[in-house]
Amino acid sequence: MNSASTPTHRTVALVGAAGSGKTSLLEALLLRAGAIPRAGSVEQGTTTGDHEPEEIARGMTLGLSLAHLGWAAPDGVEHTMTLADAPGHPDFVGGLDTALAVADAALLTVSAVDGVTAGTRFAAAAAQAAGVPLIVVITQEDKARADFRRVLGELREVFGDRLVALELPLGEEHDFTALADVLSEQALVYDDTGHHRDEALPAAVEPEEHRLHVEVTEEIVSHDDEQLEAYLDGREPAASDLERTLAREVAAGRAIPVVVCSALTGAGVDRVADLVCALAPSALDHDSRIVMGGTAVAVAPNPDGDTVLHVFRTVADPFVGQVSMFKVLSGVVHPSDRLVNATTGADERLHGLFRLRGAEHLPADALRAGEVGAVAKLTGSPTGTLLWTRASGSAEPAPLPHREPVFALSLTPATQSDDEKLMTSLGRIVAEDPTLVIDRTGGHAILRGLGDTHLDVAVERLARVFGVHVTTAAAPIAYRETIAGRAEVEGRLKKQSGGHGQFAVVQLRVSPLPLGGGFEFVDSVVGGAVPRSYIPAVEKGARDALAAGGPQGHPVVDVRVELVDGKSHSVDSSDMAFRTAASIGAKAALAEAGTVLLEPVSLVTVTVPSDLQGTVLTDLSGRRGRVSATEVVGDGRARIVANVPEAELGRYVLDLRSITGGRAELTMSADHYARVPSSAKA
């Protein structure tokens, strides 16, 4: 491959299903570029990308990891890249979203053994939704049961005519030591160091390769009038000219090249890097988007323009404190520069700049438009903010896709010291990963996220990084009660113990409101039996009683409290006396009329392949779900919308992945409360 003659920088996201070889490809690229002396192993926990203890223990990528490298293209030009290794596990899709938000292009890894999976489709759809050009890398071609042609067929089903196969493996499994370059029609034969030599194609593969060459060439020239005319006249463009045309199609999302490699043996790895330099748009080839005053604004990647930085991730480093990762959208930034946070208004000084290579910090004397770097100890610039040189105005980065939490745990501090630090530390955890959400229900600290592994990792980091230890349990269901019928009661307080006493009498009529009615207070007193100044105290007392819980131990809602009569004393009555009397009366009404248990009901939306629609509907029915809509949404998928009691959804995201093979997309949100059937009472 021939690359552009000008040195460039690219941020390249490595995306794909868990286990498809992203981290191993990252390791192989670093090794082939000379950035590391030896390749690490995922199995042994020695890779550059997966360096956090939680990742090493699980053998998979859990957070976004950056790795800077330099690459000498075949024409001798030195380019640089920042590889952004994104998680493939669905619990950590926030890392995928972040990688794509700063990427100039994405390498979609697909295992030659496993082929196209649900994770492949999800990563591809996320990249295309983010407008990031794709290059497909078929990995693990050296493994047993590798089948390039089967996987290529599966990819054609996903991408259609946009797919452009640029290579064919010459041999598979343990025989994969060479590949065919479709454009140049040369065989590239690899040695043990990952370098190759050009040879003539083997006779056995020539017919297949030439058919593919003609097919690919005709597809490329069809997008360039001059090349098409020459081709029709019998003058085939040079491979380098075809690459330039293909690069335009890749940048526009109209073409998706496919190459093949083995990260273990190194065969084809150099071609992946060459291809990125030749075909992927550089950081200076496209604008970024920020939001000012609710309007999207383009920021040109001009090294001579105003300095604008996008802080896209923050992590707690045990040695240097908080590390903020950023992309320079415009201008140049130097160590000790002072900038203003355009989102929070904070003044920041950049005490030192560095590039990242996994856990390694590489000092940088300057970072220019399009480059990615990091800085330690920013105090007022959380994830998802902008830094710039302007003295006024406000702006923020384009928003990431919203990922609604679908799994929750209740956290109980192990000690008093843990309790004192819990909420502050949780706040820092959420600053690192905005797909986590904290709330409090009934005095419990509730952590919500995208799955059980997501929350398990957060709890482990809470202990390791912040020294806060907790025990976990299923999140409690926020049940409510409402009064079962109408009751007329008296609330009386009469105490005398020397000096002023306490006296108040209220007559209350308490009745249910429709579901969702909340609380209603009505003053029907006539004749001044309860002085006007005490009426607000009566309302507060009734609210106190309902909030404290009914006979079944849950807050009481959807109640109408009417004050119809009462008595006061000129000396012994007070606000507190009437508040207490009203509380006594409201509790008496609940005891007399009884209460009905209410449960929270969530709005659940499942998007799933149509052939699995029946399976999902059956499962929802078993969870007391009420389906409100089903519709075909294209690409052979169906969308199901249902109301399901929250009590039935504790492990739903995990069960749904199991019954659909991970092919379903799920959103859940609180919707309303409903009466609990007698057969399902807690």
Side-chain angles (χ1 to χ4, degrees), residues 262-281:
S262 163
L264 182 63
T265 68
V269 170
D270 59 342
R271 293 270 299 172
V272 174
D274 289 344
L275 177 69
V276 169
C277 294
L279 299 183

Side-chain angles (χ1 to χ4, degrees), residues 75 129 138 230 282 408 414 542:
D75 59 6
I138 297 180
S282 82

Side-chain angles (χ1 to χ4, degrees), residues 332-335 353-355 362-368:
V332 181
V333 63
H334 301 87
L353 299 180
F354 48 90
R355 297 180 176 92
L362 309 173
D365 57 3
L367 292 167
R368 293 166 176 80

Side-chain angles (χ1 to χ4, degrees), residues 249-419:
E249 296 302 297
V250 171
R254 294 189 292 266
I256 301 174
V258 182
V259 292
V260 60
C261 75
S262 163
L264 182 63
T265 68
V269 170
D270 59 342
R271 293 270 299 172
V272 174
D274 289 344
L275 177 69
V276 169
C277 294
L279 299 183
S282 82
L284 300 183
D285 290 334
H286 60 96
D287 294 345
S288 299
R289 297 280 172 178
I290 64 174
V291 178
M292 299 179 66
T295 302
V297 177
V299 178
N302 181 5
D304 298 321
D306 291 339
T307 300
V308 182
L309 311 183
H310 172 196
V311 180
F312 61 86
R313 188 171 190 232
T314 56
V315 293
D317 186 288
F319 301 105
V320 300
Q322 179 175 289
V323 172
S324 301
M325 304 178 193
F326 62 84
K327 183 173 185 177
V328 184
L329 306 185
S330 174
V332 181
V333 63
H334 301 87
S336 298
D337 278 358
R338 290 186 177 274
L339 299 174
V340 176
N341 190 297
T343 310
T344 67
D347 291 318
E348 297 280 20
R349 182 178 179 184
L350 309 186
H351 295 283
L353 299 180
F354 48 90
R355 297 180 176 92
L356 288 168
R357 186 176 293 150
E360 185 181 3
H361 295 178
L362 309 173
D365 57 3
L367 292 167
R368 293 166 176 80
E371 293 190 286
V372 168
V375 63
K377 300 179 181 178
L378 295 184
T379 57
S381 299
T383 298
T385 59
L386 296 175
L387 291 165
W388 61 8
T389 50
R390 296 188 186 184
S392 61
S394 63
E396 57 189 21
L400 295 177
H402 179 64
R403 306 294 182 180
E404 199 74 47
V406 292
F407 194 81
L409 288 176
S410 174
L411 309 182
T412 302
T415 67
Q416 180 63 38
S417 175
D418 293 322
D419 190 19

Side-chain angles (χ1 to χ4, degrees), residues 431-444:
E432 292 184 9
D433 182 358
T435 60
L436 292 168
V437 175
I438 310 164
D439 63 41
R440 283 194 172 273
T441 300
H444 298 271

Side-chain angles (χ1 to χ4, degrees), residues 639-652:
R639 179 179 294 126
I640 303 165
V641 181
N643 287 120
V644 186
E646 188 180 308
E648 305 287 345
L649 295 173
R651 293 182 51 84
Y652 182 56

Side-chain angles (χ1 to χ4, degrees), residues 232-246:
L232 294 175
D233 287 342
R235 292 178 285 113
E236 183 173 311
S240 58
D241 295 329
L242 292 173
E243 288 170 6
R244 281 191 288 272
T245 300
L246 181 57

Side-chain angles (χ1 to χ4, degrees), residues 24-93:
S24 295
L25 177 59
L26 170 68
E27 205 72 10
L29 286 166
L30 290 171
L31 178 66
R32 185 62 179 78
I36 56 176
R38 65 184 63 84
S41 163
V42 172
E43 292 74 18
Q44 296 175 10
T46 55
T47 62
T48 302
D50 294 348
H51 55 84
E52 296 285 355
E54 295 79 18
E55 294 176 312
I56 294 171
R58 291 171 172 80
M60 64 180 178
T61 304
L62 304 177
L64 176 62
S65 180
L66 303 180
H68 176 82
L69 62 86
W71 185 257
D75 59 6
V77 176
E78 296 284 343
H79 302 268
T80 57
M81 302 180 203
T82 298
L83 302 178
D85 188 12
H89 193 291
D91 280 15
F92 302 93
V93 64

